[in-house]
Amino acid sequence: MSAPRLPDALLAEFGWELARTESELALELPFFSIEAFNAIYVDSASVDAYDAIADPRVDLAGRSFFTTDLVFDPSLDSFGVDPASVFGIATSYAEREFKQSIEADGLTAVETVEERDFDRGDGRPARAFRYEVAYPLSDDVIEQDVVDGQFTLESTLWACIWPTRGAYAMAGGMFPTEEVGDAIHRQATGARLAVDVEVRPEPERDRDRTFEAMRRVE
């Protein structure tokens, strides 16, 4: 099994690249399990900037996209259950579990702020969630320690879930909504940047790209 993929033409158009693939056991019960197969894509133009500013404990690039195939064993259709028929239960579970997952990846102040139906163009139901998140920055972004706690960069993350033949698939993307310098000065007006780095936030463009990619996941 493998994660759903993005078309090569879209990766070239957006300047994205596949960073890694992975699998994890999302749920294990005596007679039932869910395995997640993930693919993570990054924005090539942002990689160096985030390498310079990100807290090393954060396991996500600040401008990135993911796809996930959830594999149920045994599958729902083996019980005669169409995943679309219990989609409401799945979306509620996914919203909670995904929040916990990205918190485990190192993001903070994760808040679900919007939920909506999403049209992928295939006639199947899909549901999208918008999270506002704080992306932790390295202590090295400033010249001296002038404030307790950790600096963060405000970001937005969209995630979408839809039914497949025997289970569900997910996709989504994260992007910054403020510049590094603005984030530092918002949290400590006296702090001076120690790095000459910009993430160049373009929230509307990044949201449109995320939506387009969620539609075109294969």
Side-chain angles (χ1 to χ4, degrees), residues 9 16 41 81 96 125 166 193:
W16 293 355
Y41 300 84
V81 176
R96 294 192 305 272
L193 284 171

Side-chain angles (χ1 to χ4, degrees), residues 129-148:
F129 311 96
R130 178 166 66 94
Y131 302 86
E132 295 303 318
V133 305
Y135 189 92
L137 302 178
S138 166
D139 293 338
D140 296 334
V141 297
I142 60 171
E143 291 184 355
Q144 67 283 326
D145 188 7
V146 296
V147 64
D148 292 333

Side-chain angles (χ1 to χ4, degrees), residues 187-198:
Q187 295 162 88
T189 55
R192 290 182 295 180
L193 284 171
V195 294
D196 183 17
V197 171
E198 294 181 336

